[in-house]
């Protein structure tokens, strides 16, 4: 039963992921208001949308800290490993000691978008938005993107950059070396994006957030079942409970007759 429940959540996660891909394509090419489309250098978009260089709607495009991070220190430093499914997550953290001025310069604020500028070709361009409490700074191979006050919602940009079509476009501007690819802040600021009015950006964000919430729910349920399964296995191995006390077939565990007798 537990294993079947985990498999069901895996199917729901996969379905939600595919639904989001389809919805992103629809929203970023057709919008939310049923407008006619126009052809642009980045493909079809609604007639009322603009195509702008990213640098025109940014207030900041900043490289992170070029210092070594350790297991201990005053401030956690965000790295590429903290970018998960378009969000910054505070796990596997490394730390740095900084003075007040450096902290103020590199402290990440809610709504900052962190862009992975240097990595393997598969990972360059990975993007995530910061929405945590506390004082975090960011590593040198990330670029902090901060929007102008009214023109571009950072959550819209984050969704757009995580769309698979945009990821392919971003990789097309990367410079490639033997083991690494790089997208400089200068190149990134020249990257063109679609720009709907701020109200439609909000509508797109809300639509995509519904699927993000659903996927997160299924992931949490899956994790709960997986923890339960591990707990039951541990209890069996340590004889806290006995095989005969459980219907292992219901738990998805196959036990041979000689094993049952031995128990």
């Amino acid at each position: 039963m537990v294993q079947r429940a985990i498999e069901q959540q895996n199917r729901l996660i996969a379905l939600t992921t595919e639904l989001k891909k389809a919805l992103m394509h629809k929203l970023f090419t057709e919008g939310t208001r049923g407008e006619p489309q126009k052809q642009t250098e980045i493909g079809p978009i609604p007639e009322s949308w603009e195509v702008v260089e990213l640098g025109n709607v940014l207030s900041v495009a900043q490289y992170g800290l070029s210092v070594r991070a350790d297991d201990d220190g005053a401030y956690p430093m965000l790295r590429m490993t903290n970018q998960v499914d378009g969000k910054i997550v505070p796990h596997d953290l490394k730390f740095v000691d900084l003075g007040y001025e450096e902290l103020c310069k590199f402290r990440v604020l809610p709504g900052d978008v962190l862009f992975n500028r240097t990595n393997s070709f598969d990972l360059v361009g990975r993007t995530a938005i910061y929405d945590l409490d506390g004082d975090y700074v960011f590593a040198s191979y990330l670029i902090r993107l901060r929007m102008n006050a009214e023109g571009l919602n950072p959550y819209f940009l984050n969704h757009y950059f995580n769309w698979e079509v945009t990821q392919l476009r971003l990789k097309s501007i990367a410079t490639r070396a033997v083991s690494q690819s790089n997208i400089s802040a200068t190149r990134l600021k020249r990257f063109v994006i679609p720009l709907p009015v701020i109200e439609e950006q909000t509508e797109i964000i809300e639509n995509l957030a519904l699927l993000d919430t659903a996927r997160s729910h299924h992931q949490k349920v899956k994790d709960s079942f997986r923890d339960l399964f591990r707990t039951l296995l541990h209890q069996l191995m340590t004889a806290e409970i006995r095989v005969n006390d459980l219907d292992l077939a219901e738990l998805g565990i196959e036990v041979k007759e000689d094993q049952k007798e031995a128990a």
Side-chain angles (χ1 to χ4, degrees):
M1 182 177 67
V2 176
Q3 283 188 331
R4 285 201 296 271
I6 292 172
E7 290 168 2
Q8 181 186 39
Q9 294 306 312
N10 279 332
R11 287 192 294 270
L12 291 170
I13 290 169
L15 175 61
T16 307
T17 300
E18 289 304 310
L19 284 173
K20 184 178 178 182
K21 287 181 181 179
L23 182 60
M24 291 175 94
H25 187 273
K26 181 175 179 62
L27 291 174
F28 290 132
T29 60
E30 299 179 21
T32 62
R33 303 181 178 187
E35 290 183 63
Q37 292 172 290
K38 63 183 178 183
Q39 288 296 327
T40 71
E41 61 193 288
I42 58 174
I45 61 173
E47 279 189 343
S48 67
W49 292 20
E50 298 179 61
V51 175
V52 300
E53 289 191 356
L54 180 61
N56 292 337
V57 287
L58 292 179
S59 61
V60 172
Q62 176 192 6
Y63 295 124
L65 279 161
S66 297
V67 297
R68 179 183 175 84
D70 294 307
D71 292 334
D72 298 304
Y75 304 106
M77 185 164 75
L78 299 172
R79 300 169 294 150
M80 182 271 292
T81 53
N82 300 112
Q83 297 173 302
V84 178
D85 294 330
K87 297 180 181 179
I88 296 295
V89 295
H91 64 210
D92 189 28
L93 291 170
K94 297 291 184 179
F95 299 83
V96 293
D97 290 314
L98 299 173
Y100 179 73
E101 288 187 6
E102 278 190 304
L103 172 62
C104 291
K105 182 177 180 181
F106 293 101
R107 181 171 53 199
V108 190
L109 299 181
D112 283 350
V113 174
L114 296 181
F115 179 87
N116 187 5
R117 69 179 179 93
T118 301
N119 212 296
S120 67
F121 184 71
D122 288 340
L123 295 178
V124 70
R126 178 184 282 187
T127 306
I129 195 161
Y130 176 84
D131 191 15
L132 300 174
D133 294 324
D135 292 332
Y136 292 81
V137 294
F138 62 108
S140 62
Y141 49 82
L142 298 175
I143 300 176
R144 180 224 302 268
L145 302 176
R146 188 172 290 167
M147 316 302 117
N148 288 338
E150 297 179 358
L152 177 62
N153 187 309
Y155 288 87
F156 176 84
L157 179 68
N158 186 55
H159 283 303
Y160 183 72
F161 268 21
N162 278 285
W163 182 29
E164 58 187 0
V165 174
T166 310
Q167 280 291 302
L168 290 174
R169 288 182 54 226
L170 285 165
K171 287 172 172 51
S172 74
I173 67 169
T175 56
R176 301 181 68 170
V178 175
S179 60
Q180 284 195 324
S181 297
N182 179 268
I183 300 173
S184 68
T186 300
R187 285 194 174 206
L188 187 58
K189 286 191 287 186
R190 292 199 298 262
F191 188 78
V192 292
I193 63 168
L195 189 68
V197 295
I198 201 72
E199 293 81 9
E200 190 167 7
Q201 291 180 41
T202 301
E203 293 168 9
I204 290 170
I205 293 163
E206 290 172 347
N207 275 280
L208 293 172
L210 292 174
L211 287 177
D212 284 341
T213 300
R215 189 182 188 282
S216 178
H217 168 74
H218 294 311
Q219 184 64 52
K220 288 178 182 177
V221 173
K222 172 189 168 181
D223 291 343
S224 296
F225 279 122
R226 188 170 53 193
D227 290 343
L228 172 62
F229 188 73
R230 289 172 178 168
T231 299
L232 290 172
L233 286 180
H234 175 75
Q235 290 175 335
L236 283 169
M237 294 295 292
T238 57
E240 293 179 44
I241 56 176
R242 296 176 62 83
V243 173
N244 291 337
D245 296 332
L246 292 174
D247 186 345
L248 294 180
E250 283 296 303
L251 295 176
I253 305 172
E254 181 181 353
V255 179
K256 298 178 181 178
E257 289 300 321
D258 57 346
Q259 290 175 316
K260 290 182 179 180
E261 292 174 3

